[in-house]
Every structure is written in C-alpha cells, then in structure tokens.
Amino acid sequence: MMCCRMKPLDFDFRRGIQAFCLLLTVLCSSGAMAAETSGRLDIYFIDVEGGAATLIVTPAGESVLIDSGYPDFGGRDRDRILHTVRDVAGLKQIDHAVVSHWHLDHYGNHAALSTEIPIKNFWDRGIPDALQEDPKFVDRVALYRAASQNGSKTLAAGDKLPLKQAGRTPLEVEVLTASREVIPSRGEANPHAKDQTAKPEDTSDNAASITLLLKFGSFRFLCCGDLTWNIQSKLVTPRNSVGKVDLFMVTHHGLPTSNNPALVLAIDPVVAVMCNGPTKGGHPETIATLRKVKSLEHLYQLHRNVKLDAAGQTPAEFIANTGETEGCEGVMVKASVSQDGGSYTLQIGKEGRPRIYETRKH
Ligand SMILES: [Zn+2]
C-alpha cells in the first residue's frame, strides 16, 4: 500500500480500474459457471405436438438434444426447441444432437436448428440408403447430411455418449438398442416375461430406434424413441436389462404398438411423461398398461387426448396443454434431478407446481 501511494495518481487510478475490471470478470464468469453448474441435471420434454424433442442439460453444462420434432408449420417446433435451449436453459450451443430413428417427427429440425445455433456432434443409428415407408427420405436426409457436414456418428447398442463429468455424482448415458440390435441380456430375471406375447414383425424404422438409459447417481431415466413391441420384449427378456427406473418417457407418444407391458411393468417407473399430441398417441391401451405399474405415482401428458374423456387419461393437473394444436402455447414438462441424484422435481411450464419425488434405491 505504501509503495502504491508513491506512484502517480493516474497510474494508481488505471491499476484500480484494471483490478475492478478483473474482479468484475471473475464475478461474472463465476456467476455464469454457477448457472451452468448448479449441479442439477435437467430434462426438458418440449411440446412438439405429438413428435419428440427432449433436451438434457448435464451438471457440466453440456446439452443433449434427443430428436427435434416436425419440420414445417412455420418453424413451430424449431422455434420451441430454440426457445427452450436459449431462453430457458440459457445455452449457446447444442453439444450432442441425437436422432432416435428416421421418422420426420424425430429428425424434422436437426438441419434447421443447425443454421440457428451451433451443433457440435450429431449422433444417429446410421443413415440407411432408403426408407421403405418414406419415398422422400433420400432428399430429406440430404439436409441432415449437409447440416452435419457428413460427420454424424453412428451409435450402436452398448455405446455410451462421451459426456463430461462434473461434481461427485457419476453420469452415464448408455445406448441399449439401435438398428434392431439389443445389448446382451443382463440383470435380474423379468417376472413379466412369462406373460409375453409377440406382435407381427415391425419392418418400419420405429423398431430400429435408439434407446437411451441415463444414470445420474441412483437416478434412472429411460427413453426408447418409438421402439416397438418385439424389440422392447427382446430388451427385457429373459432378464430385465434396463432395471427399474425413476422416470420413463412413455414410448412412441403413447401408442400401443410400443409400450409392451413386459417392459413397462418390469421397469416399474415412478413417474412417466408422455409426449403425445391432441390427436396422436395417448392411447387407452397404453394408459391401461401404465395404470398397472406398481410404483407409478404420476403420469404427465404433454397434451390432453381430445378424443378421450377425462377419466380415460391422466388428471387435468398433470396435463401440460389442454387444447387443440391450433393456438397451442406448447407448454413443456421439466424434470430436474438434484445434485446427488437423490431426488427429482417435475414441473409443468414455468408456473406449474413443482412436485418432488425420491429417487428409488437400487
Ligand atoms: Zn414418433
């Protein structure tokens, strides 16, 4: 301090300003860090009117976007995703964008998003030369190829996403199925395997969906894309390779060609989120299966199924959007897992009442 007083005033003043700026920079960056590394793991179920778009933000501040809704409709789904990524989650880029399978309600906006925000890594199940159910596939996937600069990486059953760890709670996202391949059977015998029935083979790309199992400490979240009945069966018989989960994204928008009871009852979720639209998914058969799940406390629906009466679906307080697609605000459902993975909160939109659930013990 003594020597400082010896120096000319303007020099001291300049140093003072520099020190102040440095302090401000440190404070700002630590503030930004705090926002990114609150230690929680967030999962946003973005409403894309019966498609799928699920954003995961890890404690390290990394983001994983699984699927991207429908194209067209004036960029409706693209804008809802961008709003969630930028304005709600406060992100400047998408680190990992995954395509669960090659249907337009799942990869509809990967290309459009990439012109608005940097996407660092593209992941998919491999790009087929053609798709029997989509004669325009080659042209459509060309946009995706261009967006990823032909650099998308293929995920196979057993792979893990290369995610950064932060804090002491281990994080892992494992691929359980991809391109009709399933990880080797593991875990405990599935008591529901004996009630198993088969359906005719599904030759569509739904059966090729990527299934992701996220583990954060004890917390488990399962997302199967649109994986259909027989491959779901393969995943949980004779052993339940998934194990029990806390949070389940109801498969295929709640359609009964997926949501095989052998899987749904075996994974025994405590909370389920269904990404249905007003007239797509949310099928009574799937609702009936979910109602048989022993541990299920609450089912959240992104939409009211406008074709079903109130008794045939989840109670109104667990429905994010009640009207038709026209004029829909696209309210999301958010799950947020605590720093240690020991509990998690579900909330509808920004104003919804948060409900806290204990993570199950494994
Ligand atoms: Zn779908």
Side-chain angles (χ1 to χ4, degrees):
M1 290 305 282
M2 285 300 286
C3 68
C4 282
R5 262 196 288 161
M6 303 288 286
K7 288 182 176 156
L9 187 65
D10 64 339
F11 185 79
D12 255 10
F13 182 70
R14 205 164 57 233
R15 285 210 11 177
I17 292 285
Q18 280 170 351
F20 177 71
C21 288
L22 184 67
L23 182 68
L24 206 64
T25 309
V26 169
L27 283 175
C28 286
S29 61
S30 68
M33 286 293 282
E36 281 173 11
T37 58
S38 65
R40 297 185 78 91
L41 180 133
D42 295 330
I43 306 172
Y44 301 89
F45 299 92
I46 302 167
D47 175 35
V48 287
E49 306 291 328
T54 309
L55 175 70
I56 299 168
V57 184
T58 76
E62 277 194 307
S63 50
V64 181
L65 177 71
I66 309 167
D67 295 333
S68 62
Y70 289 98
D72 309 323
F73 307 111
R76 178 196 68 200
D77 296 353
R78 175 201 63 200
D79 293 348
R80 287 181 185 180
I81 294 166
L82 281 173
H83 168 66
T84 309
V85 169
R86 284 177 179 153
D87 309 333
V88 183
L91 302 170
K92 294 193 165 50
Q93 66 180 41
I94 295 168
D95 297 295
H96 304 280
V98 181
V99 176
S100 69
H101 65 292
W102 297 113
H103 286 163
L104 265 190
D105 56 327
H106 294 260
Y107 77 103
N109 288 293
H110 276 68
L113 284 168
S114 72
T115 65
E116 302 289 332
I117 191 165
I119 298 179
K120 295 294 174 189
N121 300 282
F122 291 79
W123 302 93
D124 54 57
R125 69 167 201 81
I127 305 176
D129 294 332
L131 202 67
Q132 55 162 14
E133 63 265 42
D134 182 2
K136 293 186 181 158
F137 176 71
V138 174
D139 294 335
R140 284 172 167 153
V141 88
L143 300 173
Y144 173 83
R145 281 187 200 275
S148 62
Q149 296 176 317
N150 274 322
S152 74
K153 287 167 247 177
T154 302
L155 288 171
D159 286 349
K160 286 173 187 161
L161 285 182
L163 297 175
K164 286 184 199 138
Q165 298 291 320
R168 275 175 293 180
T169 309
L171 169 69
E172 177 186 296
V173 175
E174 184 185 11
V175 179
L176 303 187
T177 74
S179 297
R180 296 178 165 78
E181 296 295 327
V182 176
I183 55 161
S185 200
R186 69 184 185 193
E188 292 178 11
N190 179 357
H192 305 282
K194 60 182 184 321
D195 309 321
Q196 187 61 331
T197 54
K199 284 196 193 272
E201 192 196 347
D202 174 16
T203 58
S204 81
D205 216 54
N206 289 329
S209 286
I210 287 173
T211 297
L212 297 174
L213 176 65
L214 178 149
K215 297 180 183 174
F216 182 55
S218 296
F219 176 83
R220 302 281 184 275
F221 165 57
L222 182 72
C223 172
C224 304
D226 286 355
L227 192 72
T228 37
W229 197 271
N230 293 352
I231 309 287
Q232 286 197 326
S233 162
K234 240 173 119 179
L235 181 58
V236 292
T237 56
R239 296 171 179 278
N240 172 8
S241 299
V242 183
K244 294 193 171 187
V245 306
D246 300 283
L247 180 62
F248 173 47
M249 178 168 143
V250 179
T251 309
H252 204 176
H253 324 288
L255 286 165
T257 46
S258 303
N259 299 298
N260 187 332
L263 178 134
V264 179
L265 301 183
I267 64 168
D268 193 37
V270 175
V271 178
V273 178
M274 185 153 68
C275 300
N276 63 315
T279 57
K280 180 179 170 187
H283 195 277
E285 259 181 59
T286 303
I287 301 273
T289 302
L290 288 164
R291 283 178 176 171
K292 287 184 202 143
V293 173
K294 227 173 73 194
S295 299
L296 191 75
E297 288 184 31
H298 296 131
L299 163 67
Y300 290 76
Q301 291 177 205
L302 278 186
H303 273 269
R304 180 172 69 90
N305 180 340
V306 298
K307 296 184 288 187
L308 287 182
D309 61 17
Q313 48 197 315
T314 203
E317 59 183 309
F318 297 98
I319 299 180
N321 301 282
T322 54
E324 301 276 357
T325 288
E326 182 143 10
C328 180
E329 283 179 46
V331 176
M332 66 170 177
V333 171
K334 180 184 177 185
S336 181
V337 189
S338 67
Q339 253 180 352
D340 61 357
S343 66
Y344 53 104
T345 305
L346 267 282
Q347 184 171 345
I348 293 177
K350 284 177 209 147
E351 312 296 326
R353 172 191 148 196
R355 293 182 178 85
I356 301 173
Y357 304 87
E358 287 297 306
T359 299
R360 69 193 314 155
K361 307 273 180 276
H362 294 279

